[in-house]
Short mmCIF file of all heavy atoms in Angstrom, two decimals:
data_model
loop_
_atom_site.label_atom_id
_atom_site.label_comp_id
_atom_site.label_asym_id
_atom_site.label_seq_id
_atom_site.Cartn_x
_atom_site.Cartn_y
_atom_site.Cartn_z
N PHE A 285 1.75 -3.33 -1.05
CA PHE A 285 2.17 -3.15 -2.45
C PHE A 285 3.23 -2.04 -2.48
O PHE A 285 2.90 -0.87 -2.31
CB PHE A 285 0.99 -2.76 -3.33
CG PHE A 285 -0.12 -3.77 -3.36
CD1 PHE A 285 -1.13 -3.73 -2.40
CD2 PHE A 285 -0.17 -4.75 -4.33
CE1 PHE A 285 -2.17 -4.65 -2.42
CE2 PHE A 285 -1.20 -5.67 -4.36
CZ PHE A 285 -2.19 -5.63 -3.40
N LYS A 286 4.48 -2.40 -2.69
CA LYS A 286 5.54 -1.40 -2.77
C LYS A 286 5.52 -0.74 -4.15
O LYS A 286 5.48 -1.44 -5.16
CB LYS A 286 6.89 -2.04 -2.48
CG LYS A 286 6.98 -2.58 -1.04
CD LYS A 286 8.36 -3.16 -0.75
CE LYS A 286 8.43 -3.65 0.70
NZ LYS A 286 9.77 -4.18 1.05
N ALA A 287 5.54 0.58 -4.17
CA ALA A 287 5.39 1.32 -5.43
C ALA A 287 6.56 2.26 -5.66
O ALA A 287 7.19 2.77 -4.71
CB ALA A 287 4.09 2.11 -5.40
N ILE A 288 6.85 2.50 -6.93
CA ILE A 288 7.90 3.42 -7.34
C ILE A 288 7.31 4.42 -8.32
O ILE A 288 6.76 4.04 -9.35
CB ILE A 288 9.08 2.67 -7.98
CG1 ILE A 288 9.68 1.66 -6.99
CG2 ILE A 288 10.16 3.66 -8.44
CD1 ILE A 288 10.77 0.80 -7.58
N GLN A 289 7.42 5.70 -7.98
CA GLN A 289 6.87 6.79 -8.78
C GLN A 289 7.99 7.56 -9.46
O GLN A 289 8.95 7.98 -8.81
CB GLN A 289 6.05 7.72 -7.88
CG GLN A 289 5.36 8.86 -8.59
CD GLN A 289 4.55 9.71 -7.62
OE1 GLN A 289 4.68 9.57 -6.40
NE2 GLN A 289 3.72 10.58 -8.16
N THR A 290 7.89 7.71 -10.78
CA THR A 290 8.92 8.42 -11.55
C THR A 290 8.34 9.68 -12.18
O THR A 290 7.23 9.65 -12.74
CB THR A 290 9.50 7.52 -12.65
OG1 THR A 290 10.03 6.33 -12.06
CG2 THR A 290 10.59 8.23 -13.42
N TYR A 291 9.09 10.78 -12.08
CA TYR A 291 8.66 12.07 -12.62
C TYR A 291 9.36 12.35 -13.95
O TYR A 291 10.35 11.71 -14.32
CB TYR A 291 8.95 13.18 -11.62
CG TYR A 291 8.04 13.18 -10.42
CD1 TYR A 291 8.39 12.47 -9.27
CD2 TYR A 291 6.84 13.88 -10.43
CE1 TYR A 291 7.56 12.46 -8.16
CE2 TYR A 291 6.00 13.87 -9.32
CZ TYR A 291 6.37 13.17 -8.19
OH TYR A 291 5.54 13.16 -7.10
N SER A 292 8.80 13.34 -14.65
CA SER A 292 9.34 13.71 -15.96
C SER A 292 10.75 14.29 -15.87
O SER A 292 11.50 14.31 -16.86
CB SER A 292 8.41 14.72 -16.64
OG SER A 292 8.22 15.86 -15.83
N ASN A 293 11.17 14.79 -14.70
CA ASN A 293 12.52 15.31 -14.50
C ASN A 293 13.49 14.24 -14.01
O ASN A 293 14.56 14.54 -13.50
CB ASN A 293 12.51 16.49 -13.52
CG ASN A 293 11.97 16.08 -12.14
OD1 ASN A 293 11.63 14.92 -11.90
ND2 ASN A 293 11.90 17.05 -11.24
N LYS A 294 13.06 12.96 -14.15
CA LYS A 294 13.87 11.80 -13.79
C LYS A 294 13.95 11.54 -12.28
O LYS A 294 14.65 10.62 -11.83
CB LYS A 294 15.30 11.91 -14.35
CG LYS A 294 15.37 12.18 -15.85
CD LYS A 294 14.63 11.12 -16.64
CE LYS A 294 14.70 11.41 -18.15
NZ LYS A 294 13.95 10.41 -18.94
N GLU A 295 13.22 12.30 -11.50
CA GLU A 295 13.20 12.06 -10.06
C GLU A 295 12.40 10.78 -9.78
O GLU A 295 11.36 10.53 -10.38
CB GLU A 295 12.55 13.24 -9.32
CG GLU A 295 12.48 13.04 -7.81
CD GLU A 295 11.72 14.15 -7.10
OE1 GLU A 295 11.24 15.08 -7.80
OE2 GLU A 295 11.60 14.08 -5.88
N VAL A 296 12.90 9.99 -8.84
CA VAL A 296 12.25 8.73 -8.47
C VAL A 296 11.94 8.73 -6.97
O VAL A 296 12.82 9.02 -6.15
CB VAL A 296 13.14 7.52 -8.82
CG1 VAL A 296 12.49 6.23 -8.33
CG2 VAL A 296 13.40 7.46 -10.32
N VAL A 297 10.69 8.42 -6.64
CA VAL A 297 10.27 8.33 -5.24
C VAL A 297 9.84 6.89 -4.98
O VAL A 297 8.97 6.35 -5.68
CB VAL A 297 9.12 9.30 -4.91
CG1 VAL A 297 8.74 9.18 -3.44
CG2 VAL A 297 9.51 10.73 -5.25
N ARG A 298 10.45 6.27 -3.98
CA ARG A 298 10.16 4.87 -3.66
C ARG A 298 9.23 4.78 -2.45
O ARG A 298 9.65 5.06 -1.32
CB ARG A 298 11.47 4.12 -3.39
CG ARG A 298 12.44 4.15 -4.57
CD ARG A 298 13.74 3.43 -4.24
NE ARG A 298 14.68 3.53 -5.35
CZ ARG A 298 14.68 2.68 -6.38
NH1 ARG A 298 13.80 1.68 -6.42
NH2 ARG A 298 15.56 2.83 -7.36
N TRP A 299 8.00 4.41 -2.72
CA TRP A 299 7.01 4.23 -1.66
C TRP A 299 7.07 2.78 -1.20
O TRP A 299 6.26 1.95 -1.60
CB TRP A 299 5.62 4.60 -2.15
CG TRP A 299 5.54 5.99 -2.73
CD1 TRP A 299 5.56 6.33 -4.04
CD2 TRP A 299 5.43 7.20 -2.00
NE1 TRP A 299 5.48 7.69 -4.20
CE2 TRP A 299 5.39 8.26 -2.95
CE3 TRP A 299 5.36 7.52 -0.65
CZ2 TRP A 299 5.28 9.59 -2.58
CZ3 TRP A 299 5.25 8.86 -0.28
CH2 TRP A 299 5.22 9.87 -1.24
N ILE A 300 8.06 2.47 -0.36
CA ILE A 300 8.33 1.06 -0.03
C ILE A 300 8.43 0.79 1.47
O ILE A 300 8.61 -0.36 1.89
CB ILE A 300 9.64 0.60 -0.70
CG1 ILE A 300 10.81 1.43 -0.24
CG2 ILE A 300 9.50 0.66 -2.23
CD1 ILE A 300 12.15 0.95 -0.77
N GLU A 301 8.31 1.81 2.30
CA GLU A 301 8.41 1.60 3.74
C GLU A 301 7.09 1.05 4.29
O GLU A 301 6.03 1.64 4.07
CB GLU A 301 8.77 2.90 4.45
CG GLU A 301 10.14 3.45 4.06
CD GLU A 301 10.46 4.72 4.83
OE1 GLU A 301 10.96 4.61 5.95
OE2 GLU A 301 10.19 5.81 4.30
N VAL A 302 7.17 -0.06 4.98
CA VAL A 302 5.97 -0.70 5.51
C VAL A 302 5.56 -0.04 6.83
O VAL A 302 6.34 -0.05 7.80
CB VAL A 302 6.20 -2.21 5.74
CG1 VAL A 302 4.93 -2.87 6.26
CG2 VAL A 302 6.66 -2.87 4.44
N PRO A 303 4.37 0.54 6.90
CA PRO A 303 3.91 1.15 8.16
C PRO A 303 3.78 0.10 9.26
O PRO A 303 3.32 -1.02 9.02
CB PRO A 303 2.55 1.74 7.79
CG PRO A 303 2.58 1.89 6.29
CD PRO A 303 3.41 0.74 5.81
N GLN A 304 4.20 0.47 10.47
CA GLN A 304 4.12 -0.43 11.61
C GLN A 304 3.07 0.07 12.60
O GLN A 304 2.99 1.27 12.87
CB GLN A 304 5.47 -0.53 12.32
CG GLN A 304 6.61 -1.03 11.42
CD GLN A 304 6.38 -2.45 10.93
OE1 GLN A 304 5.80 -3.28 11.63
NE2 GLN A 304 6.86 -2.74 9.71
N GLU A 305 2.26 -0.85 13.09
CA GLU A 305 1.20 -0.48 14.02
C GLU A 305 1.79 0.11 15.30
O GLU A 305 2.75 -0.42 15.86
CB GLU A 305 0.34 -1.71 14.35
CG GLU A 305 -0.89 -1.40 15.18
CD GLU A 305 -1.77 -2.61 15.39
OE1 GLU A 305 -1.44 -3.67 14.83
OE2 GLU A 305 -2.77 -2.48 16.13
N GLY A 306 1.21 1.21 15.72
CA GLY A 306 1.67 1.87 16.93
C GLY A 306 2.83 2.82 16.72
O GLY A 306 3.30 3.44 17.69
N GLN A 307 3.29 2.95 15.47
CA GLN A 307 4.39 3.86 15.18
C GLN A 307 3.94 4.94 14.21
O GLN A 307 2.92 4.79 13.53
CB GLN A 307 5.58 3.09 14.59
CG GLN A 307 6.18 2.05 15.52
CD GLN A 307 7.39 1.36 14.90
OE1 GLN A 307 7.92 1.79 13.89
NE2 GLN A 307 7.84 0.28 15.54
N ASP A 308 4.72 6.01 14.16
CA ASP A 308 4.40 7.10 13.23
C ASP A 308 4.53 6.61 11.79
O ASP A 308 5.34 5.71 11.49
CB ASP A 308 5.33 8.29 13.46
CG ASP A 308 5.09 8.95 14.82
OD1 ASP A 308 3.99 8.78 15.37
OD2 ASP A 308 6.04 9.61 15.32
N GLU A 309 3.76 7.21 10.92
CA GLU A 309 3.83 6.83 9.52
C GLU A 309 5.18 7.22 8.95
O GLU A 309 5.66 8.33 9.18
CB GLU A 309 2.71 7.52 8.73
CG GLU A 309 2.63 7.07 7.27
CD GLU A 309 1.48 7.73 6.54
OE1 GLU A 309 1.47 8.98 6.49
OE2 GLU A 309 0.60 7.02 6.03
N PRO A 310 5.82 6.33 8.21
CA PRO A 310 7.13 6.66 7.63
C PRO A 310 7.01 7.74 6.56
O PRO A 310 5.92 8.07 6.10
CB PRO A 310 7.59 5.32 7.03
CG PRO A 310 6.34 4.54 6.81
CD PRO A 310 5.40 4.95 7.90
N ASP A 311 8.14 8.28 6.15
CA ASP A 311 8.15 9.37 5.16
C ASP A 311 7.64 8.90 3.80
O ASP A 311 6.98 9.66 3.09
CB ASP A 311 9.57 9.94 5.03
CG ASP A 311 10.03 10.65 6.29
OD1 ASP A 311 9.16 11.11 7.06
OD2 ASP A 311 11.25 10.72 6.52
N THR A 312 7.99 7.68 3.44
CA THR A 312 7.56 7.15 2.12
C THR A 312 6.86 5.80 2.33
O THR A 312 7.42 4.74 2.01
CB THR A 312 8.76 6.99 1.18
OG1 THR A 312 9.77 6.18 1.83
CG2 THR A 312 9.36 8.33 0.82
N PRO A 313 5.63 5.82 2.87
CA PRO A 313 4.92 4.57 3.18
C PRO A 313 4.48 3.83 1.92
O PRO A 313 4.11 4.44 0.91
CB PRO A 313 3.71 5.05 3.99
CG PRO A 313 3.46 6.43 3.49
CD PRO A 313 4.82 7.01 3.19
N ALA A 314 4.51 2.52 2.00
CA ALA A 314 4.03 1.68 0.89
C ALA A 314 2.50 1.61 0.94
O ALA A 314 1.90 1.69 2.03
CB ALA A 314 4.62 0.28 1.01
N PRO A 315 1.86 1.49 -0.19
CA PRO A 315 0.40 1.32 -0.19
C PRO A 315 0.01 0.02 0.52
O PRO A 315 0.60 -1.03 0.25
CB PRO A 315 0.05 1.26 -1.68
CG PRO A 315 1.19 1.94 -2.38
CD PRO A 315 2.40 1.61 -1.56
N VAL A 316 -0.97 0.11 1.41
CA VAL A 316 -1.43 -1.05 2.18
C VAL A 316 -2.93 -1.24 1.97
O VAL A 316 -3.70 -0.30 2.18
CB VAL A 316 -1.13 -0.88 3.69
CG1 VAL A 316 -1.68 -2.07 4.47
CG2 VAL A 316 0.37 -0.74 3.91
N LEU A 317 -3.31 -2.45 1.56
CA LEU A 317 -4.72 -2.78 1.35
C LEU A 317 -5.22 -3.57 2.55
O LEU A 317 -4.74 -4.67 2.84
CB LEU A 317 -4.90 -3.61 0.08
CG LEU A 317 -6.31 -4.11 -0.21
CD1 LEU A 317 -7.25 -2.94 -0.50
CD2 LEU A 317 -6.31 -5.09 -1.38
N LYS A 318 -6.18 -2.99 3.28
CA LYS A 318 -6.78 -3.67 4.42
C LYS A 318 -7.84 -4.66 3.93
O LYS A 318 -8.67 -4.32 3.09
CB LYS A 318 -7.42 -2.66 5.38
CG LYS A 318 -6.44 -1.63 5.94
CD LYS A 318 -5.43 -2.26 6.89
CE LYS A 318 -4.54 -1.20 7.53
NZ LYS A 318 -3.54 -1.81 8.46
N LEU A 319 -7.82 -5.86 4.48
CA LEU A 319 -8.79 -6.89 4.10
C LEU A 319 -9.85 -7.03 5.17
O LEU A 319 -9.55 -7.05 6.37
CB LEU A 319 -8.08 -8.23 3.89
CG LEU A 319 -6.94 -8.26 2.86
CD1 LEU A 319 -6.36 -9.66 2.76
CD2 LEU A 319 -7.43 -7.78 1.50
N SER A 320 -11.09 -7.14 4.74
CA SER A 320 -12.21 -7.31 5.66
C SER A 320 -12.48 -8.80 5.86
O SER A 320 -11.93 -9.65 5.17
CB SER A 320 -13.46 -6.60 5.13
OG SER A 320 -13.84 -7.14 3.87
N ALA A 321 -13.36 -9.10 6.82
CA ALA A 321 -13.70 -10.49 7.11
C ALA A 321 -14.34 -11.15 5.90
O ALA A 321 -14.99 -10.49 5.08
CB ALA A 321 -14.64 -10.55 8.31
N ALA A 322 -14.13 -12.45 5.81
CA ALA A 322 -14.69 -13.20 4.68
C ALA A 322 -16.20 -13.13 4.68
O ALA A 322 -16.84 -13.18 5.74
CB ALA A 322 -14.23 -14.66 4.75
N GLU A 323 -16.78 -13.00 3.49
CA GLU A 323 -18.23 -12.94 3.35
C GLU A 323 -18.78 -14.33 3.13
O GLU A 323 -18.06 -15.25 2.73
CB GLU A 323 -18.61 -12.04 2.18
CG GLU A 323 -18.20 -10.59 2.36
CD GLU A 323 -18.61 -9.72 1.18
OE1 GLU A 323 -18.66 -10.25 0.05
OE2 GLU A 323 -18.89 -8.53 1.39
N ASP A 324 -20.11 -14.49 3.40
CA ASP A 324 -20.76 -15.77 3.15
C ASP A 324 -20.73 -16.08 1.68
O ASP A 324 -20.80 -15.20 0.83
CB ASP A 324 -22.22 -15.74 3.64
CG ASP A 324 -22.30 -15.60 5.15
OD1 ASP A 324 -21.32 -15.99 5.82
OD2 ASP A 324 -23.32 -15.09 5.65
N ASP A 325 -20.67 -17.40 1.38
CA ASP A 325 -20.64 -17.83 -0.02
C ASP A 325 -21.96 -17.49 -0.68
O ASP A 325 -23.02 -17.94 -0.27
CB ASP A 325 -20.41 -19.35 -0.09
CG ASP A 325 -20.28 -19.84 -1.52
OD1 ASP A 325 -20.15 -19.00 -2.42
OD2 ASP A 325 -20.29 -21.07 -1.71
N ALA A 326 -21.89 -16.65 -1.69
CA ALA A 326 -23.11 -16.22 -2.38
C ALA A 326 -23.83 -17.40 -3.01
O ALA A 326 -25.05 -17.48 -3.01
CB ALA A 326 -22.78 -15.18 -3.44
N HIS A 327 -23.02 -18.35 -3.56
CA HIS A 327 -23.64 -19.51 -4.21
C HIS A 327 -24.38 -20.35 -3.17
O HIS A 327 -25.46 -20.86 -3.40
CB HIS A 327 -22.58 -20.34 -4.92
CG HIS A 327 -21.93 -19.60 -6.06
ND1 HIS A 327 -22.58 -19.31 -7.23
CD2 HIS A 327 -20.68 -19.10 -6.21
CE1 HIS A 327 -21.77 -18.67 -8.05
NE2 HIS A 327 -20.61 -18.52 -7.44
N GLY A 328 -23.72 -20.51 -1.99
CA GLY A 328 -24.37 -21.30 -0.94
C GLY A 328 -25.66 -20.67 -0.49
O GLY A 328 -26.67 -21.33 -0.30
N ALA A 329 -25.62 -19.33 -0.32
CA ALA A 329 -26.83 -18.63 0.10
C ALA A 329 -27.92 -18.77 -0.96
O ALA A 329 -29.09 -19.00 -0.66
CB ALA A 329 -26.53 -17.16 0.34
N SER A 330 -27.52 -18.66 -2.22
CA SER A 330 -28.47 -18.79 -3.31
C SER A 330 -29.06 -20.19 -3.32
O SER A 330 -30.24 -20.40 -3.51
CB SER A 330 -27.80 -18.48 -4.64
OG SER A 330 -28.70 -18.68 -5.70
N GLY A 331 -28.15 -21.20 -3.10
CA GLY A 331 -28.63 -22.58 -3.11
C GLY A 331 -29.63 -22.82 -2.01
O GLY A 331 -30.62 -23.52 -2.18
#
């Protein structure tokens, strides 16, 4: 999720750099949501 942050003094910070595995974190990294393995179907388990 690339994000843009704006301050009251009109300063804008762009958090848009995609972190790469095995490399140092960039200066303005984009927010990254890690996904876990799929869970069992609750309805199926209930059934």
Side-chain angles (χ1 to χ4, degrees):
F285 300 87
K286 296 183 178 182
I288 300 175
Q289 183 179 12
T290 302
Y291 288 91
S292 57
N293 60 1
K294 307 303 180 182
E295 179 186 0
V296 176
V297 181
R298 301 178 183 275
W299 305 99
I300 59 175
E301 297 182 85
V302 181
Q304 301 297 326
E305 187 175 356
Q307 298 182 12
D308 293 338
E309 186 178 58
D311 293 335
T312 54
V316 177
L317 176 65
K318 300 292 185 180
L319 303 181
S320 60
E323 296 180 329
D324 294 336
D325 184 12
H327 295 290
S330 177

